Amino acid sequence: GSNKQGGDTTPGGYEPPPFDETVVLCGASNSGKTALLHYLCNAKEKETTWNPPMTVTSLVANVGYVCPWEDTNDNGNNGSMTIRIIDYPGHPSLSSQLTGLLLPSATSRLVFTLDATQPVTVGAALLYQYILTHSQVRQSWVSEGKTLAVLVVCTKNDVKGAKNYKRMKIQLRNELDKLRKVDHALNESSVSGDGNSNGSSKVMLSVKGKTIDLDNLGSDVPVSLHFVEAGFGMDGVKGGLAAIHDFVLEAVVPK
């Protein structure tokens, strides 16, 4: 037993440490989630360049535990603050199980990875289906009176040909708009007499203008999106890695 979250013994006999908050890393396969997990758990505080280990596509969740203050202060009350980080696989066959981790009872905030060297199509579909329009996720955050803060990390920014976060943001918005328009058309053709779509776990993503405003999703969408770009090479990644560190460990959103 523990007065914090966690503490269940695993089948191998390892008892995870008690933790204060959970941060979930999710996104499409091969978008850099596991490398980020290793960085957050193993790099020294706010290291700006780091050589991540080679990783492979995960089919089970990876879990790490990190203390924001472990490098700076071994004494005092802050030393007991521990963050659990869950790196959830991006494999499509496991996506439906992601929902339970996105509820306010399970996570404090979310890191969503997008590979800046690849199209955003798969990532946009995950974000749309399991976060922005999922009725259980949206209703649970609304009922708690909270907002799910999502840091969208455009990864591999140090790779030649990678797009910066501003371009990725535009592409993500365009892809989300396509999904929204398809949903709207399907909804109009299958609405029942009481105005509800039959058997759907989705809620519509309404917009005020012609396109989705990623900086203001509307009062009925309890999600805030924040964008950074990052990579583990030398060029242009200093701010990104520091921003990820601050968001995950200290709940600081980038300006």
Side-chain angles (χ1 to χ4, degrees), residues 28-47:
S29 289
N30 301 313
S31 58
K33 298 180 295 299
T34 305
L36 269 184
L37 175 69
H38 282 287
Y39 168 74
L40 291 164
C41 292
N42 297 311
K44 297 300 180 183
E45 184 175 5
K46 297 187 184 181
E47 263 189 287

Side-chain angles (χ1 to χ4, degrees), residues 82-99:
T82 301
I83 308 293
R84 178 177 69 162
I85 306 172
I86 299 177
D87 156 31
Y88 193 81
H91 196 276
S93 66
L94 301 172
S95 297
S96 61
Q97 301 170 35
L98 176 61
T99 303

Side-chain angles (χ1 to χ4, degrees), residues 49-116:
T49 60
W50 191 67
N51 293 318
M54 292 294 292
T55 64
V56 296
T57 299
S58 304
L59 291 177
V60 295
N62 298 300
V63 182
Y65 298 85
V66 62
C67 175
W69 303 95
E70 62 188 0
D71 294 325
T72 57
N73 184 9
D74 291 330
N75 301 309
N77 293 331
N78 287 333
S80 62
M81 180 73 172
T82 301
I83 308 293
R84 178 177 69 162
I85 306 172
I86 299 177
D87 156 31
Y88 193 81
H91 196 276
S93 66
L94 301 172
S95 297
S96 61
Q97 301 170 35
L98 176 61
T99 303
L101 288 176
L102 300 179
L103 306 180
S105 58
T107 190
S108 298
R109 49 198 171 276
L110 176 68
V111 174
F112 190 89
T113 53
L114 288 175
D115 184 342

Side-chain angles (χ1 to χ4, degrees), residues 1 55 69 77 96 128-129 131 148 151 194:
T55 64
W69 303 95
N77 293 331
S96 61
Y128 183 84
Q129 183 173 353
I131 300 169
L148 173 59
L151 184 67
D194 59 2

Side-chain angles (χ1 to χ4, degrees), residues 34 38 67 83 101 110 125 130 165 168 178 181 197 199 214 223-224 249:
T34 305
H38 282 287
C67 175
I83 308 293
L101 288 176
L110 176 68
Y130 295 104
Y165 84 89
M168 291 289 286
K178 289 179 185 177
K181 289 173 181 176
S197 55
L214 296 183
V223 177
S224 63
L249 303 185

